[in-house]
């Protein structure tokens, strides 16, 4: 199977790159080792669209963050991805004002609009900052987006525009001969003129497979609390402490889907699969949140989780290899990677288009059909939908008010949702208070029916089984 480009990795960077390339007369393929896109780093991202004031000036992080912030809001609108430009604040005590001014000066060099606010002005934006807070740095261009829905929407649009995606396809070998790359997985072998490494936590390993530059990689785990959506009314914007060398600090933020999150921590690790929360790390979140936010509601926690950031030096690595011709790297993408994704994709698109003299397709899908969500439609619209399809009248997930019709749509989307976790990321079924305790079995039944597979073949995600055998004989 021959392609112009192969993208390795189905996180938000890889799917954004695929989406951009699919708009050109190119034959493009994405290889993802998991059973869905957005299954590792992207699924655990905090979803903050950073303004760009925190990045060191004249770095790739600064350039791509600021440009990415401009592009992301347009992309989210076209893709019908939940987002909100709610701004952000970095809070400070009176004795920290000089640090706040230093941060503002850094932002000015990056071309980011910010304002230093006194306590009264801060309270007008976020009434629930801690009593010790006297100043804040306000960035109006910041906000929130659903990270996994953004990556999924990029993938869906890319498929509609002719791209191919192969899931459950870990890359096992990359060789170059006669000007073409041979990329092998455990299922098939593909050839391409250009390979683009967007493999996230496995980026350095993919480089090694290809014989490109070797990079020493470290990882940083971040633990989070997810707070029930009843607390959303108490958080108006993204609340940061002053950043440190370890990162942007433990934040308090609304999510694009209506919850609130506290976190992340910054725990150095050498394990590229270290996504297990720890008591010490979660305790650090408990101690730090009240320093910036006075309505901490840990008693409303519905879930804890951890994500992993990948670090290669102090900056992103986004360039063509100096060792291998037509091997492009987008690795070491830690924060602000989500915010930078559209700009990284734009940059790589220009490289590929220039190399292959590709021309835009005459007809491409840009604005995705709006998803109908029970939580967002009025009674008349719902009744009309039920008349056409009775599945709209059957609520499967009570916590998040998700109907059977929405789940069926996800299963038959351009990149089909074939696991319980894949359905969850697309519809939020299982993301509410009961965390799938009630709706999980029903979601499994719908997947089984729609895909025509036995119930015990329905997977949770990541290859994990749920139903192993029947405990009762049924007719």
């Amino acid at each position: 199977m021959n392609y112009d480009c192969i993208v390795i990795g189905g996180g938000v960077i890889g799917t954004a790159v695929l989406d951009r390339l699919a708009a050109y007369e190119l034959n493009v393929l994405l290889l993802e080792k998991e059973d869905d896109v957005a299954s590792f780093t992207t699924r655990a991202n905090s979803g903050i669209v950073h303004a760009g004031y925190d990045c060191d000036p004249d770095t790739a992080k600064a350039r791509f963050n600021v440009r990415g912030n401009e592009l992301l809001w347009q992309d989210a609108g076209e893709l019908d991805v939940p987002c909100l430009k709610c701004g952000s604040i970095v809070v400070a005590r009176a004795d920290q004002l000089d640090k706040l001014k230093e941060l503002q000066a850094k932002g000015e060099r990056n071309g980011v609009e910010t304002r230093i606010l006194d306590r009264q002005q801060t309270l007008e934006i976020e009434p629930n900052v801690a009593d010790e807070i006297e100043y804040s740095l306000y960035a109006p261009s910041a906000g929130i987006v659903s990270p996994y829905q953004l990556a999924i929407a990029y993938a869906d649009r890319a498929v509609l525009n002719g791209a191919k995606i192969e899931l459950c396809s870990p890359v096992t070998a990359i060789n170059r001969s006669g000007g073409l790359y041979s990329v092998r997985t455990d299922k098939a072998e593909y050839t391409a003129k250009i390979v683009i490494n967007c493999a996230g936590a496995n980026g350095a390993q993919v480089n090694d497979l290809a014989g490109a530059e070797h990079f020493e990689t470290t990882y940083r785990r971040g633990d989070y609390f997810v707070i029930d959506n009843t607390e959303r009314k108490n958080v108006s914007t993204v609340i940061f402490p002053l950043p440190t060398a370890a990162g942007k600090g433990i934040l308090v933020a609304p999510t694009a889907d209506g919850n609130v999150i506290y976190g992340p921590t910054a725990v150095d690790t050498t394990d590229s699969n270290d996504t297990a929360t720890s008591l010490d790390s979660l305790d650090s979140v408990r101690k730090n949140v009240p320093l910036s936010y006075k309505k901490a509601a840990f008693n409303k926690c519905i879930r804890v989780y951890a994500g992993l950031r990948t670090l290669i030096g102090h900056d992103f690595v986004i360039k063509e290899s100096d060792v291998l011709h037509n091997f492009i790297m987008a690795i070491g993408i830690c924060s602000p990677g989500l915010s930078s994704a559209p700009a990284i994709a734009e940059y790589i698109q220009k490289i590929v288009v220039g190399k292959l003299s590709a021309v835009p397709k005459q007809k491409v899908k840009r604005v995705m059909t709006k998803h109908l969500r029970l939580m967002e439609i009025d009674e008349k619209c719902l009744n009309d939908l039920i008349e056409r399809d009775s599945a709209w009248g059957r609520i499967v997930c009570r916590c998040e008010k998700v109907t059977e019709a929405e789940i069926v749509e996800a299963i038959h989307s351009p990149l089909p949702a074939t696991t319980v976790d894949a359905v969850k990321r697309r519809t939020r079924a299982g993301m509410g208070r009961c965390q799938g305790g009630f709706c999980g079995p029903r979601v499994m039944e719908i997947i089984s029916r729609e895909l025509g597979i036995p119930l015990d073949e329905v997977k949770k995600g990541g290859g994990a089984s749920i139903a192993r055998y029947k405990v009762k004989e049924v007719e």
Side-chain angles (χ1 to χ4, degrees):
M1 288 168 276
N2 302 318
Y3 291 91
D4 294 306
C5 298
I6 292 177
V7 179
I8 301 174
V12 72
I13 305 297
T15 54
V17 169
L18 188 76
D19 174 58
R20 290 275 179 175
L21 296 179
Y24 286 79
E25 294 291 350
L26 293 168
N27 193 15
V28 291
L29 167 70
L30 183 144
L31 298 173
E32 166 55 42
K33 68 184 182 71
E34 302 293 343
D35 50 26
D36 191 20
V37 297
S39 290
F40 194 66
T41 299
T42 297
R43 70 164 175 77
N45 190 284
S46 56
I48 310 303
V49 183
H50 295 286
Y53 52 77
D54 181 45
C55 303
D56 289 336
D58 303 317
T59 60
K61 287 183 179 180
R63 293 192 302 274
F64 287 116
N65 185 168
V66 175
R67 175 60 176 159
N69 182 287
E70 295 174 10
L71 295 172
L72 194 144
W73 302 114
Q74 178 182 337
D75 282 2
E78 290 180 351
L79 295 166
D80 187 35
V81 172
C83 64
L84 178 65
K85 189 185 281 191
C86 57
S88 69
I89 56 174
V90 180
V91 296
R93 303 185 308 270
D95 62 331
Q96 296 174 316
L97 180 58
D98 287 345
K99 294 289 186 183
L100 215 58
K101 290 179 178 178
E102 291 175 8
L103 196 59
Q104 183 182 39
K106 186 184 287 188
E108 288 175 355
R109 289 186 60 187
N110 291 339
V112 179
E113 177 194 352
T114 60
R115 299 197 301 274
I116 290 183
L117 309 179
D118 62 23
R119 178 168 177 81
Q120 187 55 45
Q121 292 169 320
T122 300
L123 291 173
E124 290 172 7
I125 292 173
E126 181 48 76
N128 293 314
V129 295
D131 293 338
E132 295 78 12
I133 299 304
E134 294 294 338
Y135 298 97
S136 68
L137 183 69
Y138 174 56
S141 64
I144 52 176
V145 70
S146 174
Y148 37 85
Q149 289 194 49
L150 180 63
I152 290 165
Y154 278 137
D156 277 345
R157 186 166 68 175
V159 170
L160 290 175
N161 286 327
K164 303 295 183 185
I165 297 177
E166 291 290 342
L167 302 173
C168 302
S169 296
V171 173
T172 58
I174 304 173
N175 297 293
R176 189 167 188 268
S177 176
L180 290 177
Y181 284 95
S182 169
V183 180
R184 192 159 61 246
T185 71
D186 54 5
K187 295 192 298 187
E189 187 170 351
Y190 312 89
T191 60
K193 300 170 186 174
I194 295 175
V195 170
I196 305 167
N197 179 6
C198 304
N202 295 307
Q205 292 93 312
V206 169
N207 259 34
D208 291 344
L209 280 177
E213 294 91 327
H214 174 74
F215 291 101
E216 293 298 326
T217 305
T218 59
Y219 306 95
R220 191 167 289 157
R221 194 189 77 235
D223 297 35
Y224 294 85
F225 285 84
V226 180
I227 308 302
D228 188 73
N229 56 24
T230 56
E231 288 301 301
R232 175 65 179 85
K233 64 183 182 296
N234 293 321
V235 184
S236 303
T237 186
V238 181
I239 308 169
F240 291 103
L242 280 165
T244 68
K248 294 178 175 65
I250 292 174
L251 58 82
V252 173
T255 72
D257 292 306
N259 296 104
V260 175
I261 55 172
Y262 304 156
T265 52
V267 181
D268 290 331
T269 176
T270 58
D271 183 355
S272 62
N273 292 301
D274 183 4
T275 57
T277 58
S278 72
L279 289 175
D280 288 344
S281 193
L282 293 173
D283 190 49
S284 175
V285 178
R286 289 181 180 275
K287 291 176 180 176
N288 279 276
V289 166
L291 301 179
S292 59
Y293 174 68
K294 68 179 181 181
K295 282 212 168 184
F298 289 98
N299 61 321
K300 298 290 182 66
C301 173
I302 62 171
R303 184 180 179 88
V304 296
Y305 71 96
L308 204 67
R309 287 159 273 178
T310 303
L311 296 90
I312 295 176
H314 299 289
D315 204 358
F316 297 159
V317 178
I318 304 170
K319 64 174 186 174
E320 183 177 3
S321 169
D322 296 327
V323 178
L324 289 177
H325 185 57
N326 286 347
F327 186 87
I328 300 169
M329 302 172 287
I331 57 177
I333 311 295
C334 52
S335 180
L338 173 67
S339 312
S340 303
I344 294 171
E346 178 186 61
Y347 178 77
I348 291 175
Q349 166 214 306
K350 290 176 180 177
I351 295 175
V352 172
V353 167
K355 283 178 170 292
L356 300 181
S357 301
V359 297
K361 289 177 178 173
Q362 291 187 351
K363 186 176 180 181
V364 294
K365 180 83 170 177
R366 294 206 179 277
V367 179
M368 296 289 280
T369 303
K370 185 171 177 58
H371 293 287
L372 293 173
R373 302 176 178 99
L374 179 63
M375 292 283 279
E376 300 172 1
I377 58 180
D378 60 29
E379 185 176 343
K380 182 181 182 308
C381 179
L382 177 59
N383 287 332
D384 291 342
L385 288 169
I386 292 172
E387 281 189 16
R388 297 198 297 269
D389 181 359
S390 62
W392 277 101
R394 293 190 285 275
I395 295 177
V396 175
C397 176
R398 305 176 196 176
C399 301
E400 296 295 320
K401 305 295 188 293
V402 180
T403 64
E404 180 178 334
E406 294 166 85
I407 294 169
V408 171
E409 179 191 27
I411 294 169
H412 297 290
S413 57
L415 181 67
T418 60
T419 68
V420 172
D421 283 351
V423 167
K424 178 170 70 172
R425 283 189 286 271
R426 287 159 178 77
T427 68
R428 291 192 56 77
M431 285 195 177
R433 293 186 189 103
C434 82
Q435 290 290 293
F438 284 98
C439 67
R442 182 67 183 127
V443 170
M444 292 174 63
E445 290 172 357
I446 296 169
I447 293 173
S448 170
R449 181 193 73 204
E450 293 297 314
L451 297 182
I453 60 176
L455 194 65
D456 59 5
E457 290 185 14
V458 175
K459 304 295 184 184
K460 178 184 182 297
S465 298
I466 303 176
R468 302 300 296 269
Y469 48 81
K470 293 178 181 179
V471 294
K472 291 183 180 179
E473 293 294 328
V474 293
E475 293 297 324

